[in-house]
Amino acid sequence: MYLYNTLSGKKEEVVPINGKTISFYACGPTVYDFTHIGHIRSYIYNDIIRRSFPYLGMPIKHVMNVTDVGHLSDDADSGEDKMEKGARKYGKTVWDLARFYTDFFFSTMDQVNNLRPDVVAKATEHIPEMIDLITILVEKKFAYETEEALYFDVQKFAGYGKLSHQPLGEKLKGVREEVYVDPQKKHPADFALWFKRVGRFKDHTMYWQSPWGDGFPGWHIECSAMSMKYLGKTIDLHSGGIDHIPVHHENEIAQSEAANGVPFVKHWTHFYFLQVDGKKMSKSLGNFYTIDDVKKHNIHPLALRFLFLQAHYRQLLNFTWQAAEGANEAYLKLKKLVLGLDTIVPKNKDLSVQAQAYKKTFKDAIADDLQLPIAIATLWTMLKDNQINNFEKRTLVADFDQVLGLDLLKENNTVNTIPKEVQELAEQRKQAKQEKQYAKADDLRKRIEEKGYKVEDTKEGYVIQPATL
Ligand code: AMP
Ligand code: ZN
């Protein structure tokens, strides 16, 4: 398997250091708010990685953290803890908030068919491991203490900036004007390993005892501590969104390598962002969508997965409802095509030369830096090829779906099969209601029901469902 490595700037083969299993660490969500479709895009790619290695014959161990403490609102050391801020906003305790959004995250992941990581590690359950790691950094003199916190001294780590290819001097210019700066901090890029429960954090609800007083860990240390605990000091592969390159991942490398004296990660992979209507997703812009919004638009969660698989992970992707609707139609068409294949099993079950060639094209696309657009194009071409019999087609679909995770052979009634004409009738009914033409609206409801569907009005708008459900 070849993946682009952010560290070297080249596509390189990922080979397990221990000769057996790929060790894979994926930076997980900060559970202070709803998981949105941008997160979904990134975690679908983690899932594709996790499915692709075994598909290509290499077992993988997939570890993901859940950040439930220590991630400050500006990703650096100023601002507030995102969890504390979220708890206040929603009137919940930090613990309830973490539970609620962790559940929402995993429910979202399940709906888009992302397999659960082998290990899910919560930051709050790994405080002793983090304290041990910080202790090593203190002993090795890579950390210093101020009245407010314990910091990693970036100027002591020669390799700082190697992932983002930004020397420390240049990095200085890029550091944002922080909301709050500890006056005892030696360098703007120094980052907190431990925050003391003093000053602006004197009322912090989550805190633990440590050799440096009561407090809580900085954000970055959790990933180093947990990666080491579950996968070892040097791992094969580490992933995250591109926003993590300059700060979070640079800091993970610094503290891990300073403590252990060996390389932290051989291969770094980063996912490009999802934009919505050409803009960053944010609540204030009203373009922040969750899986529930997707379903309200009658788009199947797996159609969203299908949409995301059609852009390479190193491409910025722009989400529009029009593109999502198009993907929904294409996904339904694909499923119909697959489920319409007869299930006759021939005497000779060996794949023909042509069928084997399709399998190879698919495999090669996956192994070449996850070229999923090519993999999906191969699937379509194969399905339309008359030289391949239906048994071979079903066999290949089952094979490809191990990686794609689109449930292509699964017969179920949860797929949105609402025909366009029914959707149009529902739109006309909405229009009629808005114009207070109630008789017309009732008539349209009847016509929808005649077609085997029912329409219900909710606070967020109407929902169409098959009448049999
Ligand atoms: P967070 O919960 O903000 O720490 O984000 C969890 C993961 O989702 C990180 O790897 C982010 O880089 C990624 N992520 C956040 N926003 C987006 C987006 N709009 N598109 C793609 N990935 C994103
Ligand atoms: Zn991380």
Side-chain angles (χ1 to χ4, degrees):
M1 164 81 107
Y2 281 76
L3 284 177
Y4 180 83
N5 185 353
T6 312
L7 193 59
S8 64
K10 287 192 293 243
K11 246 194 257 179
E12 286 171 349
E13 191 172 4
V14 187
V15 191
I17 316 167
N18 68 8
K20 285 185 286 201
T21 307
I22 299 285
S23 43
F24 171 43
Y25 186 95
C27 279
T30 306
V31 285
Y32 72 106
D33 208 334
F34 289 105
T35 303
H36 57 60
I37 55 174
H39 297 127
I40 297 177
R41 182 181 190 209
S42 276
Y43 289 100
I44 283 178
Y45 267 105
N46 279 322
D47 183 62
I48 292 289
I49 288 178
R50 189 260 166 81
R51 288 168 178 266
S52 296
F53 277 97
Y55 179 77
L56 297 171
M58 250 175 289
I60 188 166
K61 184 171 175 189
H62 176 193
V63 177
M64 187 191 79
N65 64 302
V66 170
T67 302
D68 50 2
V69 66
H71 191 170
L72 301 199
S73 50
D74 65 343
D75 284 3
D77 290 336
S78 48
E80 231 188 308
D81 185 307
K82 289 188 181 192
M83 297 298 296
E84 303 262 331
K85 201 172 166 184
R88 233 190 6 259
K89 178 172 154 194
Y90 292 106
K92 296 184 183 206
T93 68
V94 271
W95 303 100
D96 284 345
L97 187 86
R99 203 171 309 119
F100 179 84
Y101 289 115
T102 305
D103 288 351
F104 188 85
F105 173 81
F106 282 111
S107 145
T108 303
M109 296 301 112
D110 291 348
Q111 291 179 66
V112 295
N113 264 357
N114 285 351
L115 302 172
R116 298 271 172 124
D118 298 300
V119 178
V120 173
K122 290 184 184 174
T124 49
E125 290 172 2
H126 293 78
I127 304 294
E129 287 85 346
M130 294 189 229
I131 292 178
D132 287 350
L133 182 55
I134 301 170
T135 305
I136 297 174
L137 292 171
V138 172
E139 281 165 7
K140 294 196 169 179
K141 304 208 176 347
F142 281 103
Y144 64 92
E145 192 172 349
T146 71
E147 278 160 37
E148 299 178 10
L150 209 80
Y151 292 102
F152 185 92
D153 192 341
V154 293
Q155 292 171 99
K156 293 235 172 100
F157 182 70
Y160 198 83
K162 65 182 172 184
L163 185 68
S164 47
H165 309 289
Q166 238 186 338
L168 201 50
E170 256 175 55
K171 203 164 184 100
L172 246 181
K173 290 181 224 149
V175 173
R176 278 170 282 197
E177 270 192 40
E178 296 183 10
V179 187
Y180 174 83
V181 183
D182 182 342
Q184 293 175 300
K185 211 168 153 177
K186 291 192 208 163
H187 189 283
D190 289 351
F191 56 91
L193 299 165
W194 188 262
F195 287 110
K196 299 182 188 177
R197 197 167 179 254
V198 296
R200 68 190 160 131
F201 295 129
K202 71 177 179 347
D203 298 323
H204 211 262
T205 39
M206 282 180 163
Y207 66 95
W208 294 264
Q209 289 178 343
S210 84
W212 318 284
D214 286 354
F216 59 97
W219 171 36
H220 319 291
I221 196 75
E222 68 180 82
C223 289
S224 294
M226 298 195 267
S227 175
M228 225 176 275
K229 174 170 181 180
Y230 295 106
L231 297 168
K233 290 180 177 169
T234 302
I235 70 164
D236 296 311
L237 185 63
H238 189 126
S239 72
I242 43 163
D243 56 325
H244 286 347
I245 300 172
V247 180
H248 183 51
H249 287 167
E250 206 70 82
N251 294 354
E252 282 186 28
I253 293 175
Q255 61 202 4
S256 306
E257 298 191 352
N260 296 328
V262 293
F264 174 43
V265 172
K266 277 189 357 190
H267 220 106
W268 285 93
T269 183
H270 289 102
F271 313 127
Y272 279 52
F273 259 42
L274 181 78
Q275 288 192 330
V276 173
D277 295 326
K279 298 186 198 92
K280 189 175 177 283
M281 203 177 328
S282 81
K283 290 220 164 129
S284 57
L285 290 174
N287 65 358
F288 180 102
Y289 304 129
T290 69
I291 197 71
D292 293 334
D293 297 311
V294 171
K295 287 191 291 186
K296 269 179 215 147
H297 273 79
N298 280 316
I299 289 159
H300 194 282
L302 293 181
L304 185 73
R305 183 176 176 104
F306 188 56
L307 173 70
F308 288 168
L309 297 188
Q310 289 174 72
H312 192 258
Y313 75 92
R314 283 192 291 115
Q315 260 175 354
L316 197 71
L317 179 65
N318 187 31
F319 177 90
T320 61
W321 285 114
Q322 202 185 2
E325 280 153 17
N328 199 50
E329 274 181 38
Y331 176 64
L332 294 180
K333 196 171 139 194
L334 180 60
K335 263 201 95 148
K336 211 167 152 189
L337 198 65
V338 171
L339 292 175
L341 297 170
D342 65 55
T343 50
I344 298 165
V345 180
K347 272 210 189 91
N348 179 4
K349 292 187 200 158
D350 295 341
L351 290 185
S352 61
V353 174
Q354 291 100 315
Q356 281 178 29
Y358 280 117
K359 186 165 168 160
K360 183 170 184 317
T361 309
F362 182 88
K363 250 189 170 160
D364 290 349
I366 299 297
D368 179 17
D369 199 25
L370 303 174
Q371 294 290 353
L372 285 155
I374 297 177
I376 287 177
T378 309
L379 171 68
W380 281 115
T381 318
M382 179 276 288
L383 282 169
K384 289 179 181 160
D385 188 338
N386 304 331
Q387 288 186 293
I388 312 255
N389 68 42
N390 287 351
F391 173 77
E392 289 177 314
K393 285 182 181 169
R394 289 179 71 93
T395 307
L396 288 175
V397 168
D399 182 75
F400 296 178
D401 215 27
Q402 292 173 57
V403 175
L404 304 176
L406 290 167
D407 279 355
L408 292 174
L409 282 160
K410 197 165 163 184
E411 307 237 15
N412 56 22
N413 56 0
T414 53
V415 171
N416 173 21
T417 47
I418 295 157
K420 224 177 168 141
E421 35 171 349
V422 174
Q423 292 181 37
E424 277 164 14
L425 289 172
E427 266 304 303
Q428 288 169 24
R429 178 177 163 271
K430 181 177 143 195
Q431 188 77 24
K433 275 183 65 185
Q434 273 165 3
E435 290 162 9
K436 301 201 186 333
Q437 300 183 27
Y438 296 114
K440 186 176 172 190
D442 280 346
D443 183 47
L444 284 160
R445 175 195 286 281
K446 273 195 208 111
R447 284 175 60 196
I448 291 170
E449 285 168 358
E450 278 161 19
K451 293 192 183 292
Y453 293 85
K454 60 180 181 191
V455 60
E456 267 170 18
D457 296 311
T458 68
K459 264 192 284 176
E460 286 84 16
Y462 64 77
V463 179
I464 320 172
Q465 282 179 331
T468 46
L469 277 182

